[in-house]
Amino acid sequence: MAEAHQAVAFQFTVTPEGIDLQLSHQALTEIYLSGVRSWKKRIVRLKALVRIFSGRKPLLYSYQGSLPNLPLPTTKDTVKRYLESVRPLMDDTQFERMTKLATEFETTLGNRLQWYLKLKALWAANYVSDWWEEYVYLRGRSPIMVNSNYYGMDFLYVTPTPIQAARAGNTIHAMLLYRRKLNKEEIKPSRIPGTVIPLCAAQCERMFNTTRTPGEETDTVQHWQDSDYVAVYHRGRYFRLRVYHSGRLLSPREIEFQIQRILDDTSPPSKGEEKLGALTAGDRIPWAKARVKYFSSGVNKRSLDCIEKAAFFVTLDDDEQGMMGDDPAASLDRYAKSLLHGKCYDRWFDKSFSVVFYKNGKNGMNAEHSWADAPVVAHLWEYALATDSFQLGYNAEGHCKGEVDSSLPKPQKLNWEIPPECEELISQSLAVAQNLADDVDFHVFSFRDFGKGKVKKCRVSPDAFIQIALQLAYYRERGSFCLTYEASMTRLFREGRTETVRSCTSESSAFVQALDGEEVPWRLFRAASEKHQQLYRMAMTGAGIDRHLFCLYVVSKYLGEESPFLKEVLSEPWRLSTSQTPVQQVELFDLVNHPEYISCGGGFGPVADDGYGVSYCIVGDNMINFHISCKHSCPQTDAHKFGAQIRKALRDILQLLSPNQQEKEPKKTGESRPEVKKDQ
């Protein structure tokens, strides 16, 4: 997903402290620390493994101890798969040059780097995840707004209540119910759909009470065990809203009452307070320096601590958003941009997640990426949406149900003393963030011609179908192919996060080029589809390409070794970055009786300056929602035009796969229809 942006051309500097018998002290130290972190997690989760054998119902972390370590591929296999992946993107001369670089790396430096990774794979549960978090996310010095953070939307067709405070009351209460279940480990362990195979739940641990803290060289993720309040922003003011009273969780009606108090508060912001959040939206180094200089003591430290230690962050937005008005398509585009970056100062982008409540009752969320990937946040969001509408509900007037304890103390307004020098830094960060936000072009649309129902009747994986359609759309727009990133999870393994599926293949390219020609490319599509499914399975099972190459690169930097091959591989731009947002808890929604309760999914910002970010959500059997982003500053990209190309590509491929079209292609003697693997 958004990690593709951070993964391109990242750089860091390591000075080896000494080399003894060709062993880098710095590299070995980092491998040792990785193992220490990993073993600490194992010890904490040992009690969960015991519970499996106690006859109790499996808890959230029950399977953590039984998950295997992420396997380390051989350098030979990774290099071979890499060369295969770039073949459709290079001419013969370019490919010959890259093959020479790859072969030289494999037979020389690659063996030495692999030796260090073997040590790490033996000592740590996951040879990728801690380095991925640190170097891809936390060491990035550019803004995390747009570049890294991502968003999730409300229901597409329904707004459960038009009352802003009431929607906040139910949603905040639902999220705190989720936190309670999380703390008690009562959330059912996630599994691969349709199987009993468990997925790693480690990312859930830092969902609440967590913030990203800026540093000059690297950021850190801070997590607290508990927090009895949320931080709220409204019209330039920050508030502490306690969500517990006399030891009990406030009811939805009481939270609504407290939110309304904030909405009715007419006090002005403190000097410099209104746009303070812009520090979290701009470059990281200025924010790190400002934090040390102006927020390390006194009232500013106390107020900043309040925001950073909150369960999560809440924005009460004066705008109205959602699919509405005379131009519903344009309104969805505005809604996406609002959730992605807002006004660049009315979100706290460092918090693990922020929830936005709009004036018309719509809501949405923005999530920081370093601590977890989108499916983990989406699981929380699905629970909150379903609990809000189907469990808690509203009364006839649209208010939350229940009574209010009249003794509740008012929400506490935070105080600040922002000097003029800090205000200038805030303005500079806001200017950087505003330029970035203004450059984002977004298009969100629901494709309703057909969905996965018709695709599966053609015995094709819906994900492969969409990915090949994206290749066709891009080729028709640009006349060429590009390196394509599809996010896949590796949570089959302990502490697993993501791997890249390189969706542009020789098979998909052959199909796309043949589609508009005289040859009927039905069998070419089948070959492309099966290849995609194979790559997806390999990525999920630890046989991907990119995380291994990334870790080899990290080791090379620790050793102070330069690799022309790795340097080139890690700097290649992902001009098409894609991700599917799956609906994980289908049982929470009744799409048969209540088809209008459909989430629009979520999205992320553009990855390459001259490319597209595409997120898609397959909803039920008859709808696919797309979120497309790019940059206005690039004359070659246009989110709306690319959306039109995607629609056309989807229709054209389905027409090709229709029974009548398949019958037109003659079968070779003795050839049977290829077996299509189970849909991913």
Side-chain angles (χ1 to χ4, degrees):
M1 198 173 165
E3 70 263 14
H5 186 282
Q6 302 298 100
V8 173
F10 73 96
Q11 297 288 337
F12 63 96
T13 302
V14 176
T15 303
E17 296 177 9
I19 298 178
D20 181 19
L21 299 178
Q22 295 187 330
L23 303 181
S24 167
H25 175 70
Q26 183 76 12
L28 292 175
T29 298
E30 288 301 319
I31 290 171
Y32 170 76
L33 292 176
S34 294
V36 169
R37 288 189 289 267
S38 178
W39 278 99
K40 282 182 178 179
K41 292 180 181 179
R42 294 188 196 191
I43 293 170
V44 169
R45 291 298 164 209
L46 182 60
K47 62 179 182 180
L49 184 60
V50 175
R51 290 174 182 166
I52 297 179
F53 302 102
S54 66
R56 294 178 56 179
K57 184 178 180 180
L59 301 179
L60 176 61
Y61 302 115
S62 290
Y63 299 105
Q64 287 299 104
S66 62
L67 293 174
N69 290 2
L70 181 69
L72 176 65
T74 66
T75 307
K76 179 179 180 181
D77 286 345
T78 295
V79 168
K80 178 182 177 182
R81 291 165 189 157
Y82 169 78
L83 290 173
E84 181 184 346
S85 75
V86 297
R87 186 64 189 95
L89 307 175
M90 297 179 176
D91 60 30
D92 291 344
T93 302
Q94 292 170 328
F95 186 70
E96 182 180 351
R97 172 184 167 276
M98 181 54 75
T99 300
K100 184 178 179 180
L101 284 177
T103 303
E104 181 182 354
F105 169 78
E106 180 191 335
T107 55
T108 55
L109 180 60
N111 290 325
R112 185 179 176 208
L113 304 182
Q114 181 77 351
W115 186 86
Y116 285 93
L117 285 188
K118 285 180 180 178
L119 280 183
K120 187 179 182 185
L122 286 172
W123 173 234
N126 193 301
Y127 76 92
V128 175
S129 292
D130 60 332
W131 285 352
W132 187 251
E133 178 177 311
E134 179 178 358
Y135 295 114
V136 171
Y137 292 115
L138 298 179
R139 290 211 180 202
R141 303 293 79 198
S142 60
I144 61 174
M145 183 201 77
V146 174
N147 292 332
S148 181
N149 285 29
Y150 53 95
Y151 67 85
M153 282 186 170
D154 194 3
F155 294 121
L156 184 59
Y157 300 113
V158 174
T159 306
T161 177
I163 301 173
Q164 184 179 21
R167 191 73 195 282
N170 264 10
T171 304
I172 292 172
H173 183 85
M175 288 183 153
L176 293 168
L177 290 179
Y178 188 95
R179 185 179 70 166
R180 177 188 292 171
K181 290 167 68 74
L182 181 64
N183 290 342
K184 293 182 178 181
E185 301 184 22
E186 293 175 350
I187 296 171
K188 290 191 298 184
S190 295
R191 306 173 189 272
I192 292 182
T195 76
V196 296
I197 302 173
L199 301 177
C200 180
Q203 293 180 50
C204 299
E205 296 173 354
R206 297 182 293 177
M207 184 176 293
F208 294 91
N209 333 315
T210 298
T211 197
R212 175 173 176 158
T213 303
E216 289 194 37
E217 290 187 5
T218 181
D219 293 356
T220 56
V221 176
Q222 289 187 283
H223 171 71
W224 293 268
Q225 287 303 308
D226 199 12
S227 178
D228 65 353
Y229 65 91
V230 296
V232 182
Y233 178 91
H234 177 243
R235 291 186 179 174
R237 296 90 41 85
Y238 291 88
F239 295 85
R240 180 206 299 261
L241 170 55
R242 296 197 179 276
V243 291
Y244 284 83
H245 183 63
S246 301
R248 66 171 180 84
L249 176 62
L250 296 187
S251 70
R253 182 70 185 88
E254 288 173 324
I255 297 176
E256 176 190 352
F257 176 74
Q258 295 290 71
I259 290 289
Q260 192 61 53
R261 279 178 156 179
I262 294 175
L263 292 171
D264 294 339
D265 188 313
T266 58
S267 61
S270 302
K271 191 175 187 302
E273 178 182 15
E274 180 182 12
K275 298 178 180 179
L276 176 63
L279 289 171
T280 70
D283 290 322
R284 303 305 291 175
I285 293 177
W287 172 210
K289 290 181 177 179
R291 191 176 188 277
V292 171
K293 188 171 183 179
Y294 301 110
F295 298 91
S296 293
S297 62
V299 64
N300 287 350
K301 183 181 188 306
R302 291 192 294 273
S303 293
L304 180 60
D305 282 350
C306 182
I307 294 174
E308 293 184 337
K309 295 179 180 180
F312 52 90
F313 192 81
V314 172
T315 293
L316 302 175
D317 201 307
D318 282 338
D319 292 339
E320 295 186 355
Q321 295 291 352
M323 189 169 67
M324 58 187 185
D326 297 332
D327 191 349
S331 66
L332 278 181
D333 300 345
R334 290 191 297 270
Y335 182 24
K337 281 179 65 68
S338 175
L339 289 174
L340 185 66
H341 55 67
K343 296 181 179 68
C344 301
Y345 59 79
D346 54 351
R347 317 280 189 258
W348 199 267
F349 295 101
D350 285 355
K351 284 298 288 180
S352 53
F353 66 90
S354 301
V355 190
V356 184
F357 298 99
Y358 295 101
K359 190 176 181 180
N360 59 342
K362 275 292 178 192
N363 67 9
M365 73 185 312
N366 180 289
E368 199 276 316
H369 210 322
S370 66
W371 64 275
D373 301 307
V376 175
V377 179
H379 195 276
L380 162 68
W381 191 235
E382 289 174 6
Y383 177 90
L385 289 176
T387 303
D388 168 24
S389 297
F390 303 127
Q391 303 298 324
L392 301 175
Y394 301 88
N395 63 23
E397 291 76 35
H399 293 284
C400 297
K401 298 175 182 177
E403 303 299 326
V404 177
D405 184 342
S406 58
S407 67
L408 288 177
K410 287 186 176 181
Q412 174 192 354
K413 184 179 180 299
L414 303 186
N415 297 312
W416 306 89
E417 294 176 357
I418 309 295
E421 300 83 10
C422 185
E423 286 189 83
E424 177 60 28
L425 291 176
I426 293 171
S427 297
Q428 292 172 8
S429 289
L430 180 58
V432 170
Q434 196 65 62
N435 287 337
L436 182 60
D438 290 345
D439 197 22
V440 175
D441 180 21
F442 239 105
H443 182 41
V444 179
F445 68 92
S446 289
F447 182 80
R448 290 187 285 259
D449 291 25
F450 59 87
K452 73 174 182 182
K454 282 191 176 181
V455 174
K456 293 180 80 170
K457 285 180 180 178
C458 297
R459 300 198 302 164
V460 175
S461 156
D463 186 69
F465 183 95
I466 294 170
Q467 285 291 328
I468 295 170
L470 292 176
Q471 292 298 314
L472 177 58
Y474 188 90
Y475 183 80
R476 283 174 168 173
E477 181 187 79
R478 304 286 279 269
S480 62
F481 298 105
C482 71
L483 194 61
T484 304
Y485 186 113
E486 181 187 6
S488 165
M489 59 116 184
T490 54
R491 290 171 63 199
L492 288 169
F493 305 98
R494 190 182 294 131
E495 300 172 29
R497 291 201 59 163
T498 62
E499 177 58 275
T500 306
V501 180
R502 292 179 167 232
S503 300
C504 180
T505 63
S506 296
E507 289 81 359
S508 67
S509 302
F511 163 73
V512 167
Q513 289 176 317
L515 184 60
D516 294 326
E518 296 181 0
E519 181 183 355
V520 180
W522 177 78
R523 295 186 184 278
L524 294 178
F525 178 84
R526 289 290 181 184
S529 173
E530 290 187 354
K531 181 64 175 181
H532 181 81
Q533 289 176 268
Q534 178 196 8
L535 292 177
Y536 204 100
R537 284 191 294 269
M538 291 174 68
M540 285 184 63
T541 54
I545 300 169
D546 290 276
R547 299 304 176 268
H548 186 202
L549 291 175
F550 159 76
C551 288
L552 290 169
Y553 179 76
V554 172
V555 175
S556 76
K557 301 303 287 186
Y558 280 128
L559 297 179
E561 297 279 2
E562 287 295 326
S563 167
F565 170 70
L566 290 177
K567 185 176 181 179
E568 191 159 330
V569 169
L570 269 294
S571 63
E572 292 169 341
W574 302 95
R575 291 193 173 89
L576 192 52
S577 179
T578 71
S579 177
Q580 181 186 167
T581 305
V583 179
Q584 301 171 74
Q585 303 167 90
V586 182
E587 69 277 6
L588 297 181
F589 303 92
D590 185 355
L591 296 182
V592 176
N593 297 315
H594 299 285
E596 69 277 14
Y597 283 88
I598 294 173
S599 170
C600 199
F604 52 94
V607 170
D609 290 340
D610 58 349
Y612 292 103
V614 181
S615 175
Y616 52 94
C617 180
I618 301 172
V619 184
D621 285 337
N622 303 301
M623 179 185 292
I624 309 170
N625 293 324
F626 286 89
H627 300 246
I628 304 169
S629 63
C630 63
K631 292 192 174 184
H632 288 296
S633 56
C634 177
Q636 295 175 292
T637 58
D638 184 305
H640 289 77
K641 289 182 179 179
F642 192 55
Q645 290 285 11
I646 292 174
R647 291 185 187 93
K648 185 177 187 303
L650 291 168
R651 296 183 188 117
D652 288 351
I653 294 177
L654 185 72
Q655 183 179 6
L656 172 73
L657 295 180
S658 64
N660 290 337
Q661 288 297 108
Q662 293 179 22
E663 289 170 4
K664 291 180 182 179
E665 183 178 9
K667 291 184 179 180
K668 295 179 181 178
T669 305
E671 182 180 6
S672 60
R673 175 174 290 185
E675 178 186 356
V676 179
K677 304 296 182 182
K678 185 177 179 182
D679 135 50
Q680 294 292 325

